Amino acid sequence: MSDELEFRSPRPGEAGPFFTPVLQSFGDQPSRADIDQNRSVWEPERCHGALDGDRWVGVSGAFSLEVTLPGGASVPFSGITMIGVAPTHRRRGVLTTMMQWLLDDAEQRGEAAAMLTASESSIYGRYGFGVAAQAASHEIEVDRAAFRDHLDVPGSFTLLPLADALDVVHGLWERCRAGRVGEVSRQRSRWEDELLDREQHRHGLSALFLVVHEGPDGPDGFATYRQRNIWGTETHRLPETRVVLDTLCGTTRDVEAALWQYLASIDLVREVEMPVRPVDDPIRWRLVEPRRLKVTSISDWLWARLLDVAAALAARSYSAPGALVLDVVDPFRPSAAGRFRLEAGGASEGDGASCTPAPEASPDLTLGAEELGALWLGGVAPSVLAAAGRVDEHTPGALALADRMFPVHPGPFCNTMF
C-alpha cells in the first residue's frame, strides 16, 4: 500500500478495474456482465476515483439529470452515484476528496444542486445533503384490494414485448414525471439497459413484465413488474404468486389507479408488493378496507444539497407569498453559505420567486445546508425541523410563514434509484 493516493478520472479501457471497488463495497464480486451494465450508462467525464499504486480503491460518479420542482420547472442537477471505497482504505478521506471533486464539477457545469439515493442514511448529512423525499413500501392481499367506487378509466391494457417498448416508456416517463415534484429524468441509455432484463436484475424473480395503458389519445401510463411464483405441494396447490412492482406511472391519478387495479387482478396472484411508493399515495383512500394496505417501511429516499442557493430557491414556486432572509450555514462548502433574501409571490400569483444574496440583512431563520436540502422540494415543514432543533427562528412568525411557503401537496416523490 503506497503512502500517497492518486485521484483522477478513469481513462479509456479502465472500466473494469474502476467499477470493482464500488461493486465490492456492496458485497459483490463483479462479473463481466456487471461491468458491462455499469459501462452502458456511465458518464466517464463525470467519474472520479482514488488509486493506490495501480489499483482503484475508491470510485464515484454522477449522472446528468433533471428534476421536477414545485411549480413544474424541470432543472438540471448532478445525480451522484457509484460511490464506493475499498474496505482496505476506509477512514482515509477518500470519500470526502471525491465528493469535493463531484460538487466542484457540478458547480462548473452550472448545476444548482446535487442529489443522490443513499445506501446508508448516516453518510451524506456531513456533506450537506438533506432528506428531500421519502418513500413507503406497501403490500396488500389482492382479495382485500376492492375499490370503494367504480373506477371508469377509458382505454385498454397491453402487455408489450420489451424489445418494442423503448420509445413508449421513455416518452411516457417524461410526461409522467412532469406532474410529480421530486421525480427525475431517466436517460435513454438507462431504459435501454433496464429493458435488456439482465439476469442479475431479477434477484430470483421472474423476467420483467411491462403493461401499457392506452387511452383515447394514446398511451397514458405503464407499469413494470416481476412475479415470485410459488406453486406446488408446499402450498396445498393453492396459488401464492406475488407481484413485485418496479415502476408505475400515469399521466393522471386515475390512470395510476387503473394500473394498480390491473396488478391486483392478475390471475393466480395473492399479494402485490410495492417497494417504492409515495408516503401520501391516494390509493389507500380508494380502498374499501384501507388498513389492508400495509406499510412495511417508510424510509429516506432522495437526498438533496444546494450548490447555488439563490438559483435553486428561485427556480421553484411557493405555496404562499412571503419574504424571508435565510442564514445558511455550510461548513463543508463555505462558498454556498451566507444570507439570502427569498421573495415569493405564491402559487396563485405565478412564479414570481426571487432569491438574492443579502449579507447585511438580519436573518429571519438560520439553518444548515442539510436542512435547506430537505426543504427544497417541499417534503417537510420548516417547523418540524425547528422542533428537532435544526432550524432557528429569529423573527417571530418567520417559521409560520416558512410553513406556508415551502411545503407542497402532494409531497415530493421519486421512483428512481440512481
Side-chain angles (χ1 to χ4, degrees):
M1 183 186 301
S2 65
D3 293 332
E4 296 295 330
L5 301 179
E6 177 188 4
F7 288 85
R8 64 171 174 83
S9 295
R11 296 167 183 153
E14 290 185 317
F18 180 78
F19 286 125
T20 295
V22 68
L23 295 172
Q24 288 180 335
S25 69
F26 286 98
D28 294 328
Q29 289 290 358
S31 65
R32 172 53 57 186
D34 295 326
I35 290 168
D36 288 344
Q37 175 207 344
N38 281 275
R39 184 163 50 189
S40 70
V41 298
W42 76 326
E43 298 179 42
E45 70 281 3
R46 303 204 66 163
C47 294
H48 196 65
L51 282 157
D52 187 348
D54 60 357
R55 184 165 61 92
W56 290 98
V57 295
V59 300
S60 64
F63 294 127
S64 304
L65 301 175
E66 293 190 2
V67 62
T68 303
L69 296 184
S74 181
V75 300
F77 73 94
S78 173
I80 305 295
T81 189
M82 292 192 311
I83 300 289
V85 178
T88 54
H89 288 69
R90 297 171 66 248
R91 305 294 184 264
R92 293 179 57 177
V94 175
L95 176 56
T96 297
T97 301
M98 293 190 302
M99 187 62 72
Q100 288 170 334
W101 186 93
L102 290 169
L103 298 182
D104 285 344
D105 180 68
E107 188 173 29
Q108 290 165 11
R109 293 170 182 268
E111 294 162 337
M115 294 199 291
L116 54 83
T117 53
S119 56
E120 285 190 81
S121 57
S122 62
I123 298 174
Y124 295 102
R126 64 180 180 269
Y127 302 120
F129 288 83
V131 180
Q134 295 179 298
S137 180
H138 293 156
E139 61 182 34
I140 191 169
E141 295 182 11
V142 298
D143 60 357
R144 299 293 190 175
F147 280 17
R148 290 171 53 88
D149 302 305
H150 175 66
L151 188 64
D152 186 16
V153 180
S156 59
F157 293 100
T158 302
L159 277 170
L160 200 62
L162 300 186
D164 301 333
L166 178 59
D167 289 336
V168 174
V169 298
H170 184 58
L172 266 177
W173 179 258
E174 287 303 304
R175 289 170 57 197
C176 293
R177 81 166 184 90
R180 188 75 201 209
V181 173
E183 195 51 87
V184 307
S185 59
R186 295 186 184 182
Q187 313 102 309
R188 190 177 178 87
S189 60
R190 172 170 178 154
W191 281 117
E192 289 173 342
D193 182 68
E194 289 191 13
L195 295 175
L196 288 175
D197 192 22
R198 300 175 189 271
E199 183 67 35
Q200 65 264 38
H201 289 171
R202 298 180 182 177
H203 304 293
L205 302 178
S206 73
L208 189 70
F209 291 90
L210 191 152
V211 62
V212 175
H213 184 269
E214 185 151 355
D217 299 319
D220 55 12
F222 74 92
T224 57
Y225 61 95
R226 302 181 189 276
Q227 294 185 188
R228 178 179 290 114
N229 299 314
I230 303 173
W231 188 266
T233 56
E234 69 272 21
T235 64
H236 303 286
R237 295 189 56 77
L238 295 173
E240 295 284 349
T241 297
R242 171 178 283 234
V243 163
V244 181
L245 178 66
D246 180 21
T247 295
L248 185 151
C249 78
T251 56
T252 69
R253 289 304 179 96
D254 281 352
V255 171
E256 286 197 355
L259 285 162
W260 192 94
Q261 199 170 48
Y262 164 87
L263 298 173
S265 66
I266 298 173
D267 286 342
L268 306 181
V269 170
R270 180 182 175 88
E271 293 181 316
V272 177
E273 178 183 337
M274 296 156 281
V276 182
R277 292 301 295 159
V279 173
D280 55 359
D281 196 326
I283 286 296
R284 177 179 300 280
W285 298 93
R286 291 185 183 265
L287 297 177
V288 173
E289 296 185 83
R291 74 171 64 170
R292 296 290 184 168
L293 186 68
K294 300 173 185 175
V295 178
T296 56
S297 71
I298 294 178
S299 177
D300 61 275
W301 187 253
L302 186 66
W303 294 65
R305 82 100 67 217
L306 305 191
L307 302 171
D308 185 334
V309 172
L313 292 183
R316 58 159 290 179
S317 69
Y318 294 83
S319 300
L324 291 167
V325 175
L326 306 176
D327 186 16
V328 180
V329 180
D330 196 340
F332 185 70
R333 201 166 184 83
S335 61
R339 293 182 184 175
F340 301 87
R341 185 184 305 278
L342 172 64
E343 299 183 2
S348 63
E349 302 180 31
D351 291 337
S354 66
C355 188
T356 55
E360 304 302 322
S362 298
D364 297 309
L365 300 173
T366 295
L367 70 168
E370 185 179 356
E371 289 68 39
L372 188 61
L375 292 175
W376 187 41
L377 299 181
V380 62
S383 61
V384 172
L385 297 180
R390 297 176 61 171
V391 174
D392 293 328
E393 181 184 47
H394 306 292
T395 303
L399 266 178
L401 175 59
D403 275 1
R404 296 193 295 272
M405 291 172 63
F406 275 90
V408 296
H409 304 283
F413 172 65
C414 178
N415 195 187
T416 305
M417 177 177 281
F418 55 91

